[in-house]
Amino acid sequence: MTHLITWDEHAIDQAARFLRDDPDGLRLLMDAVDLLAVNPPPEGATPYGSPALRRVHAGRYRVLYEIKDAQVDIVVIHVGRVG
């Protein structure tokens, strides 16, 4: 089953800022988010507060996302850089 991935406007803005100085890193992040459509809680993803909120690392980036069971959607809430 493939899940729908949507991006919060704030997360899109954050990702766009990283595109300027690290396009390869952002590509790795986008690939990791695309994989969430097939496997929402991939190996290495950790709960973040509530069970629906998860965090996953992709290279030097982290992605905070929410799994919405009723709609089987994944909403990317926040994108940040580690270090």
Side-chain angles (χ1 to χ4, degrees):
M1 172 189 261
T2 302
H3 303 284
L4 175 67
I5 297 177
T6 57
W7 284 73
D8 182 85
E9 189 174 328
H10 182 67
I12 291 170
D13 291 342
Q14 292 167 322
R17 283 194 309 253
F18 298 136
L19 179 60
R20 290 183 219 127
D21 68 330
D22 189 12
D24 292 333
L26 190 60
R27 189 173 303 111
L28 179 67
L29 175 127
M30 295 298 217
D31 290 345
V33 169
D34 286 346
L35 290 175
L36 295 175
V38 179
N39 187 15
E43 186 176 326
T46 57
Y48 191 81
S50 75
L53 287 177
R54 310 284 293 182
R55 182 175 58 192
V56 67
H57 288 264
R60 58 190 277 208
Y61 294 92
R62 65 186 175 277
V63 177
L64 180 65
Y65 63 99
E66 180 180 17
I67 301 172
K68 294 187 174 185
D69 292 325
Q71 301 169 348
V72 195
D73 289 348
I74 298 167
V75 179
V76 177
I77 299 169
H78 179 82
V79 175
R81 192 168 10 201
V82 180

